[in-house]
Amino acid sequence: MTGRTNALDVIDLTAGYGRIEVLHSVSFSVPVGAVVALLGPNGAGKTTTLNCISGVLSPTSGHVHLNGHHVNGAAADKLARAGLCTIPEGRGIFPNLTVTENVSLFAFASQTSPKDIEERTFTQFPRLQERRSQLAGKLSGGEQQMLAMARALSSDPAMLLLDELSMGLAPKIVEDLYEIVADIGRQGISVLVVEQFARRALAVAQLGIVMVQGRITAVGEPADIYDELSAAYLGGAA
Amino acid sequence: MTNFVTFTVIGIVVGATYAIAASGLVLTYATSNVFNMAHGAVGMFMTFLYWEVSVNQGWPVWVALPFVLGIAAPAMGLLLERVMMRRLTQADVTISLVVTVGLLVALIGVAQTIWPPAGRNIEQFFNGDAVSFGIVRVSAHQFITMGVALAVAFGLYVLLNRTRIGTAMRAVVDNRELLALHGARPNLLSGLAWALGSSLAALAGILLAPQLTLDYTTLTFLVVSAYAAAMVGRLKSLPKTFVGAIVLGLLINYATWAYISLPKSVLTSDFGQVIYGVKNSLPTIFLLLVMLALPQEKLRIGRISGTKLPKLPSWPVALAWSAVFIVGTYLLTGQFGDANNSRFGQAMCLPLIMLSLVLLVGYGGDVSLMQLSFVGMGVLVAARGFTIPGTGIGFHPQVSVLSIVTAFLLTAMIGAIVAVPALRLRGLYIGLGTLALAAAIDRIVFNTKLLGFGNEGSTVNANRPGWLQSEQSFAMAVVVAFVVMGLMVLSIRRGKYGRILLATRDSQAACATLGFSTTITRVAVFAVSAGLAGVAGVFFAGEHISVSTYDVFFFKSLPLLLFATVFGVTSISGVLVGGLVYGLIGYAPTTVGNLASVVLLLGILLLGGNPNGLVGLIFEQARKVPLPWRRGGLPVEAEPYPTHNPARSALEAPVGTA
């Protein structure tokens, strides 16, 4: 009986690879229209959590509710058509398609015409318009990440999952990208950001979740979880 | 002038059929990353099916054609995608080549079982009606062929570049998971591509068939021309593929024209045979030239292709097994009669040949589809002898230390020459290149009197040395050769060179950063492997005494690699079992042999592409049995390398409640 206030509920999620359990009964929620940052050091299980939500990985036990619907074990493509959009770690683009093709490809999920999607995207990301007929693989790292986000937005998602947005990018570019994330949040799309560089993500998030070794150690407003966060990164209790 | 126009028209028509076949190949490769060696075999099978329904069952063309192209071929494509290709998208090139080669062998086997060899013909469309344009007559069939090729070209171009489904099909190759994350169904898309690809293969086969009698291998290997055309477009670009196909079609026909214009005295001479071979090898020569023009493959960073190899036996264990094997076979062959010893010896030649694959494929991670050509060269050295012209220095045509050494040096040298251009490229291209080269060597060298055996089907004879005359003694010579060469391979593997080899196989980029020249390593291993195959050829000649061109037919390199891989190309015991099984199947009735190929194919699928093969699997299980002399009871079970990607299997998991 999940209320309509949460876009995503993760309840007692346990998952792993082979015999190794990575997540130990993880629970948290993402309210509708909120930007939530899932933070933690390397190997905390952040990406695994994300993979369980997006349907790429099947959890061993526990539940994932999307808009109140139980979605465990649903295939990734079904979830995507139901409005869940994921930008995976590392550039989530198709390097051998052009920028335009990358963007319009995902008219698949929605019923919008490719032309409308292109127009909307290119107004939001003028930089991409300049590069529209280039192969996506030839873009710079920042542009590729921008394209990944543009493409994600083109499918008009209800919820966006972002994995390691800042990976391998210059601080200035990361800043720009987080501006876009904040913008997306203001449009009413719920966002779950997974990030190692906590400060950047917390600046735009309404809620922070700290994860260490497959367990949630703190949940709260950005200001409240800083202590817990430094403990998580420095490896001891503050 | 008339000739020119006629040959141009025929060239364009032939090129058009190549284009249709090649576009199917490009389509499936571009959407699944699996190069289908069996593309031609699918076309062959469907052409036989078309013959069955239209000629044998007497269905009218307008029923038979839609049935084959619209139902049977797509169904086969879907089936192949579902049970086979889907598992191969992330697999090593060697594995996907071997599996599709297995499919090729199996399809020929099944076709031979359903439709036993007999003269079959397919009529041209519209009974060969023709229209005259001034000086040249163009048949309705030729018109249709050209029209169909144009329609296919246009249709595919629009599909792939102008429609969302087509764009998504291309996106499948880039990133299957990402595509699913955004709501497309990757499996459906690649299924569609394979269905379409099969139909195009069938279409090309049916259009080509009237010009030839229906034959298993001719149709299967006509697509070497399709490979050549597809290579012009680097297996990705459809427009370039079409241009390549037409150019090739014209080239072949102008060459035919030039050939028939040669004076009769040249044509009938020994040298004329070589020219004939060159003419018939044009598609493969074209393929090799295109490959030479391709830019060098860049080192790929961050890619580790390592697979777990079976445990190496220690020297005492290896020597003990060698002794047991030699003594055991000696006692056994003592009980056999001459006929059985001859069979056993001939079967033992196959593991001997496969040893060269252990080094190259098993340890080196490269692939070669021309091992039997090196064997053929070894045969020729043993059967023709070797004399330095004008000096009288050399040796008689006989199995001897001299012929073994010469065969090794000669084939190793040729192997090195072949390797230098081939190894600039990636595994797949090496596979295709070596296959093409093998086909060319067959026609230009083996099937000529000047350089090889003589006309297709001719035989050469080799003498055994006096003390190895009896069947038992020569069979034992093959056994000893296997043991000695096996120990040599093992010593290479155990030494410094072997470690460099494995490192090269696992990550070329990492090796390069450590200062090893991966090119030198790979050329050396290719050369040594060719040399071993050449030596095997000398024993092959001695064992068979009389060897025909059919024995070293290039096509037979494919089952060789197939059997080696299924039984375990990474271990000497694997190829021993694989080679013996392959050798002994040869004595079984044809149907059994054909069915065996199907069983083999299932075997590969069950193995899930494990290159250690069946024998490796058995050894792995056997090691888990606790035996009293094993210290510390059960050995620690090693975690396998993560060749299995959990994310992928999750994608294919059944859909829950969304």
Side-chain angles (χ1 to χ4, degrees), chain B residues 192-278:
Chain B
L192 194 63
W194 279 91
L196 207 55
S198 289
S199 282
L200 289 172
L203 185 60
I206 292 170
L207 286 172
L208 266 175
Q211 297 159 37
L212 327 143
T213 50
L214 224 50
D215 166 54
Y216 318 103
T217 44
T218 317
L219 270 177
T220 301
F221 280 99
L222 263 177
V223 286
V224 169
S225 316
Y227 301 158
M231 203 65 88
V232 174
R234 303 187 69 179
L235 304 177
K236 298 268 177 189
S237 155
L238 279 174
K240 284 184 192 158
T241 300
F242 270 82
V243 172
I246 301 294
V247 168
L248 182 60
L250 287 172
L251 195 69
I252 290 173
N253 279 282
Y254 290 150
T256 309
W257 180 28
Y259 178 77
I260 56 170
S261 329
L262 286 174
K264 250 220 158 66
S265 57
V266 175
L267 290 183
T268 48
S269 70
D270 283 354
F271 185 63
Q273 267 188 324
V274 178
I275 300 180
Y276 181 72
V278 171

Side-chain angles (χ1 to χ4, degrees), chain A residues 56 70 77 81 96 101 106 151, chain B residues 170 174 180 182-183 650 657:
Chain A
V56 170
H70 184 248
D77 56 300
R81 286 193 295 276
N96 290 312
E101 282 172 338
F106 294 96
R151 219 214 28 235
Chain B
R170 288 188 291 140
D174 268 0
H182 286 83
T657 48

